[in-house]
Amino acid sequence: MPTVGFIYPDHAAEDDYPFAERLLGPGFSLPVEHIYGTDLHAVPELLDLGSEQRLAEGAALLAEHEPDAVVWACTSGSFVYRWDGAHEQVDKLAAAAGKPASSTSFAFVRAAEKLGLKRVAVAASYPEDVAKLFVEFLGQGGVEIVSMTSEGIDTAAEVGRLSPEAVVDLAVSHDHPDADAVLIPDTAMRTLGVLTTIEARLGKPVLTANQVTVWEGLRLTGEIPGSTELGELFRCH
């Protein structure tokens, strides 16, 4: 059974992971362990949240699950380190876990590559200065951003309280006609239950943080199952 361990910051939308596990079926295990810091979407706090020490703590908590791979399930706590720093971050996490490792930020880049996406719209929940760092990161990964919108939400807890209807509205209202897909980058947002609804409304792929994080972890194990309920990213398998 492929087992992917996820290090999740604080509490917000971590129930997306057991939900994904149920959708994927009994052949997959997606345990989640938590690390704690401030949930403020601000650069200094995010740098602390994604620090080597905190992620090593998360890796130690995951050890009892004997994961085949480990993923830092936090977009802002990875892209805030910029491209080279985020590579160093996952290298250190892999060393601490003794397993292949990645992060949500790299998951977005690799998922976009898998789907052949060249031009995307970003619908971010973050304040604008943080959202711009995500756009910069995507650009470093070869993804062109045709539009970026920022909801200016200060904390992950607030994002986690968004209703399913609000999440759908955020995605649909921030599409762009020139975009191949819409990207929604916050793991604090519950998106897996509304992915098919959003894609049906837009008529194009949608990549969300928890979706790509699960996909990236499975990619590291070499076993990605097809699913009709987790968006085009999983349907293409």
Side-chain angles (χ1 to χ4, degrees), residues 20-39:
E21 185 178 276
R22 290 193 297 274
L23 292 180
L24 293 173
F28 298 88
S29 178
L30 309 177
V32 177
E33 293 289 352
H34 297 266
I35 59 172
Y36 297 93
T38 178
D39 72 343

Side-chain angles (χ1 to χ4, degrees), residues 52 55-57 59-60 63 70 90-99:
E52 179 181 359
L55 294 189
E57 292 171 1
V70 173
V90 295
D91 286 346
K92 290 179 177 178
L93 174 56
K99 303 290 181 180

Side-chain angles (χ1 to χ4, degrees), residues 3 13-15 18 20 24 27 64 69-70 85 91 96 101 111 113 144 147 153 156 163 189 198-199 209 223 229 237:
T3 299
E14 65 269 28
D15 48 351
L24 293 173
E64 68 176 280
V70 173
D91 286 346
E113 180 181 10
E144 180 184 349
S147 69
I153 301 176
S163 68
M189 191 183 300
I198 298 171
E199 288 191 337
E223 296 190 46
E229 299 174 273
H237 290 276

Side-chain angles (χ1 to χ4, degrees), residues 70-154:
V70 173
V71 185
W72 170 217
C74 183
T75 327
S76 55
S78 47
F79 69 68
V80 74
Y81 279 81
R82 308 292 181 86
W83 187 260
D84 291 339
H87 273 287
E88 183 178 353
Q89 182 186 58
V90 295
D91 286 346
K92 290 179 177 178
L93 174 56
K99 303 290 181 180
S102 189
S103 68
T104 305
S105 293
F106 288 119
F108 271 107
V109 172
R110 290 172 185 139
E113 180 181 10
K114 172 65 180 178
L115 292 180
L117 307 177
K118 301 300 182 185
R119 295 157 61 82
V120 304
V122 172
S125 54
Y126 315 124
E128 186 173 4
D129 62 327
V130 175
K132 285 180 175 177
L133 291 176
F134 180 58
V135 168
E136 175 190 299
F137 191 93
L138 291 174
Q140 288 285 101
V143 181
E144 180 184 349
I145 291 78
V146 296
S147 69
M148 186 276 284
T149 51
S150 165
E151 292 296 296
I153 301 176
D154 288 327

